[in-house]
């Protein structure tokens, strides 16, 4: 395997230290962890099967990180910017926070690299359960095109994230229901267990 391919490999199921769990929809503040009692962890295999990729990177090096550079090159991420989500830093904070937490999909991957602070991405599995993915500083996460998901800050109310994209960015969320959207159909074909083709 070439160096760039090795460097750009997502964290493996075995090496993963990402924390994810099934979301207890108990009506409390969305920024709380919403863990069941006892907790119901979601395995790295489960996230892999849903098409979620992630890497643990060093945010102090984000301006000259060979691993980030390899990921960017390998996956064609030609665009990047930085977004800070906090009541003080983001104009239209309340509307944006509300829209991030509406269940939606995108017509492209959603790629975020958490440089400071933390938050939660929730992804829907095929049993209609939410899986909450904890994203502390240093997490780079890729949600595949067409996956239903949402985002919330945690109680610290602060995240600074790099957004990456292939080509000209399109941030527009497509709210659920979007089952007939081509991106959703493609996602279902690729990842739903009864339709996905498994490569052995
Ligand atoms: C962590 S960046 C803010 C969330 C966001 O940009 C988005 O599109 C959520 O789905
Ligand atoms: Fe999104």
């Amino acid at each position: 395997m070439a160096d760039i391919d090795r460097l750009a490999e997502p964290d493996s199921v075995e090496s993963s230290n990402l924390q994810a769990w099934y979301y207890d929809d108990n009506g409390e503040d969305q920024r709380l962890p919403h863990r069941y009692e006892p907790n119901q962890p979601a395995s790295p295999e489960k996230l892999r099967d849903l098409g979620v990729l992630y890497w643990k990177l060093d945010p102090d090096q984000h301006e000259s990180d060979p691993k980030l550079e390899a990921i960017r090159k390998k996956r064609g991420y030609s665009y990047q910017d930085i977004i800070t989500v906090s009541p003080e830093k983001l104009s239209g904070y309340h509307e944006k926070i509300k829209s991030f937490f509406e269940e939606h999909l995108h017509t492209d991957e959603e790629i975020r690299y958490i440089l400071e602070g933390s938050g939660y991405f929730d992804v829907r599995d095929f049993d209609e359960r939410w899986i909450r993915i904890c994203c502390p500083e240093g997490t780079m996460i890729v949600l595949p095109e067409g996956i239903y998901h949402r985002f919330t800050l945690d109680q610290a109310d602060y995240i600074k994230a790099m957004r990456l994209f292939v080509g000209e960015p399109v941030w527009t969320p497509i709210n659920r229901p979007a089952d007939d959207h081509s991106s959703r159909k493609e996602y279902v074909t690729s990842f739903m267990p009864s339709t996905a083709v498994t490569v052995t």
Side-chain angles (χ1 to χ4, degrees):
M1 195 190 277
D3 275 359
I4 175 178
D5 293 327
R6 197 160 6 88
L7 268 179
E9 275 288 292
D11 289 2
S12 68
V13 159
E14 296 76 27
S15 72
S16 163
N17 54 10
L18 199 79
Q19 297 284 312
W21 55 87
Y22 288 93
Y23 180 91
D24 179 8
D25 208 347
N26 56 17
E28 290 179 347
D29 183 340
Q30 68 191 48
R31 300 171 308 154
L32 289 165
H34 286 259
R35 291 180 194 263
Y36 283 97
E37 186 51 55
N39 185 38
Q40 296 180 14
S43 67
E45 288 88 349
K46 176 79 187 186
L47 291 174
R48 179 198 58 200
D49 292 349
L50 292 171
V52 176
L53 306 177
Y54 45 86
W55 296 256
K56 190 78 186 161
L57 301 177
D58 177 1
D60 291 341
Q61 280 200 50
H62 76 272
E63 283 176 8
S64 58
D65 182 351
K67 196 164 168 183
L68 177 60
E69 204 39 52
I71 298 166
R72 219 189 251 129
K73 219 172 189 169
K74 171 103 193 281
R75 303 184 64 84
Y77 300 151
S78 49
Y79 173 93
Q80 74 175 60
D81 69 9
I82 289 179
I83 180 171
T84 303
V85 183
S86 75
E88 296 78 25
K89 293 274 167 81
L90 187 66
S91 82
Y93 169 81
H94 292 287
E95 301 86 78
K96 292 212 174 103
I97 274 295
K98 206 162 159 242
S99 113
F100 291 155
F101 204 61
E102 289 284 324
E103 183 169 5
H104 64 274
L105 59 76
H106 298 283
T107 53
D108 301 270
E109 290 179 342
E110 176 156 331
I111 311 139
R112 299 290 184 269
Y113 174 18
I114 315 309
L115 301 176
E116 292 175 8
S118 48
Y120 298 120
F121 276 99
D122 295 339
V123 295
R124 268 286 185 209
D125 73 4
F126 289 106
D127 298 319
E128 291 293 344
R129 298 183 77 190
W130 281 117
I131 295 174
R132 174 150 281 196
I133 306 170
C134 182
C135 295
E137 188 175 302
T139 308
M140 178 159 176
I141 187 164
V142 174
L143 305 183
E145 171 183 347
I147 193 171
Y148 284 131
H149 68 280
R150 62 187 184 188
F151 171 79
T152 182
L153 290 173
D154 58 24
Q155 285 190 298
D157 273 335
Y158 179 78
I159 201 166
K160 181 174 174 184
M162 184 186 287
R163 306 190 292 186
L164 298 107
F165 208 88
V166 179
E168 270 305 297
V170 180
W171 308 125
T172 321
I174 297 167
N175 287 348
R176 194 170 180 181
D179 291 355
D180 291 332
H181 193 286
S182 55
S183 291
R184 181 64 193 171
K185 285 185 172 164
E186 216 163 286
Y187 176 74
V188 169
T189 306
S190 304
F191 292 101
M192 195 168 168
S194 54
T195 56
V197 177
T198 319
V199 181
T200 49

